[in-house]
């Protein structure tokens, strides 16, 4: 490893972090270090470190040797049951990373922060759409906002800069994390098909015809590196989306057709309720269809599915700021879903 750019990916095993690592490895001019609680298998381009970022002592011990870091890409997330409880751990992890690295990495150039539409209050109910980076704030608690305020204050007078990326729902195939809409739909569809059922939209009836945007994890990786390396992007936030809009009432029948299933009218069924007893069935399906032996917990994020399918209001942002400033990647969301389902089949996560 002798490249001049060294990336520290915080949250290396998530949908966002794992895609970012893949993209940086393909670029070829980055040294990469991945941080997570689970660690990972080293490659010739990426070294993984297992660390508990909520433990300042463990953080200091594991991070102190990393004097070569030039870019921090922060995409870690600690899930908690309430919005209030999310603040302390998610702010603490960022602070522990920045405090450990900033003091020792003399060539630190940039800190990239992963955010989302919670900045706009999208999780509370109907919000102004399209949401813009210049929109006014809302009453705390909100850890995304606290994290950005910490970086803004910390950056004053320093030679490094920061950027904040605000994707919509991020779509990718990394398993074992609490926010994976693609695996939610794929596993829900596979189990429905196994039971001989039509594919019903399980969310709120009013969510079926609302406008929504999505962010492909690969596209987000490209945007993240662009914002971290283009000096014009310093100390700014960017909405990052595929560039198109969907409605479930248009896309859902196409997803059913992809899985060669009939569809039926929406029926609000909390996935956390109707899918919790399907673990044994899933194990049987793994044997029957010769699938990879991922645990049922690894492949299912039912709470997140319920969350996304509950949005009975428009849910999208204005992503033209990034495009005006030079980021021109886009993705057809419909094709993205089918490509990611194909990938889950190739990885033997769901039946072919």
């Amino acid at each position: 490893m002798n490249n001049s750019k060294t990336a520290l990916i915080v949250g290396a095993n998530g949908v966002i972090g794992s895609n970012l690592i893949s993209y940086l490895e393909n670029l070829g001019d980055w040294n990469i270090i991945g941080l997570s609680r689970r660690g990972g298998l080293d490659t010739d381009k990426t070294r993984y470190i297992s660390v508990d970022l909520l433990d300042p002592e463990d953080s200091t011990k594991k991070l102190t040797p990393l004097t070569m870091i030039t870019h921090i890409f922060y995409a870690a997330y600690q899930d908690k049951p309430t919005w209030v409880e999310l603040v302390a751990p998610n702010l603490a992890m960022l602070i522990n990373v920045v405090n450990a690295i900033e003091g020792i990495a003399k060539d630190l150039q940039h800190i990239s922060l992963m955010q989302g539409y919670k900045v706009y209050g999208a999780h509370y109910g109907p919000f102004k759409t399209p949401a813009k980076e210049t929109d006014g704030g809302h009453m705390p608690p909100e850890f995304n906002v606290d994290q950005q305020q910490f970086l803004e204050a910390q950056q004053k007078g320093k030679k490094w800069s920061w950027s904040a990326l605000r994707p919509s729902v991020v779509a990718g195939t990394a398993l074992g994390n609490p926010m994976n809409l693609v695996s939610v739909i794929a596993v829900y569809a596979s189990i429905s098909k196994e039971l001989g059922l039509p594919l019903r939209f399980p969310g709120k009836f009013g969510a079926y015809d609302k406008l929504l945007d999505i962010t492909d994890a690969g596209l987000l990786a490209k945007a993240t590196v662009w914002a971290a390396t283009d000096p014009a992007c310093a100390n700014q936030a960017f909405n990052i989306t595929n560039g198109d809009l969907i409605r479930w009432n248009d896309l859902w029948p196409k997803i059913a057709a992809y899985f060669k299933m009939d569809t039926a009218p929406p029926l609000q069924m909390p996935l956390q309720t109707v899918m919790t007893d399907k673990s044994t069935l899933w194990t049987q399906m793994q044997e029957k269809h010769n699938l990879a032996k991922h645990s049922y917990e690894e492949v299912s994020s039912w709470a997140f599915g319920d969350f996304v399918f509950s949005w009975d209001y428009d849910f999208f942002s204005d992503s033209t700021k990034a495009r005006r400033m030079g980021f021109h990647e886009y993705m057809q969301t419909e094709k993205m879903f089918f490509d990611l389902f194909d990938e889950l089949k190739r990885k033997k996560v769901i039946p072919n």
Side-chain angles (χ1 to χ4, degrees), residues 181 183-189 192 197-208 248-249 251-253 255-256 261 263-275 301-312:
L181 184 65
S183 70
V184 165
I185 295 173
V187 173
Y188 170 65
S192 296
L197 298 170
L199 187 64
R200 284 186 189 268
F201 180 74
K204 282 188 182 175
F205 199 78
Y208 201 49
W248 290 119
N249 63 3
L251 182 58
W252 199 260
I255 291 174
M261 295 171 70
T263 186
L267 178 66
Q268 188 173 348
M269 304 175 286
L271 295 173
Q272 291 171 92
T273 302
V274 299
M275 301 305 289
S301 319
W302 303 125
F304 187 61
D306 286 338
F307 183 48
V308 173
F309 297 144
S310 75
W311 297 333
D312 52 1

Side-chain angles (χ1 to χ4, degrees), residues 15 39 50 77 85 98 106 137 156 164 243 268 301 323 340 352:
V15 172
S50 169
Y77 173 72
E85 291 172 274
V98 173
K106 302 302 176 205
K156 283 189 170 61
Q268 188 173 348
S301 319
R323 303 186 193 280
L340 292 173
N352 195 346

Side-chain angles (χ1 to χ4, degrees), residues 117-133:
Y117 291 3
K118 289 187 181 77
V119 170
Y120 304 123
H123 51 312
Y124 287 127
F127 63 108
K128 184 202 134 231
T129 52
K132 300 192 177 192
E133 294 89 347

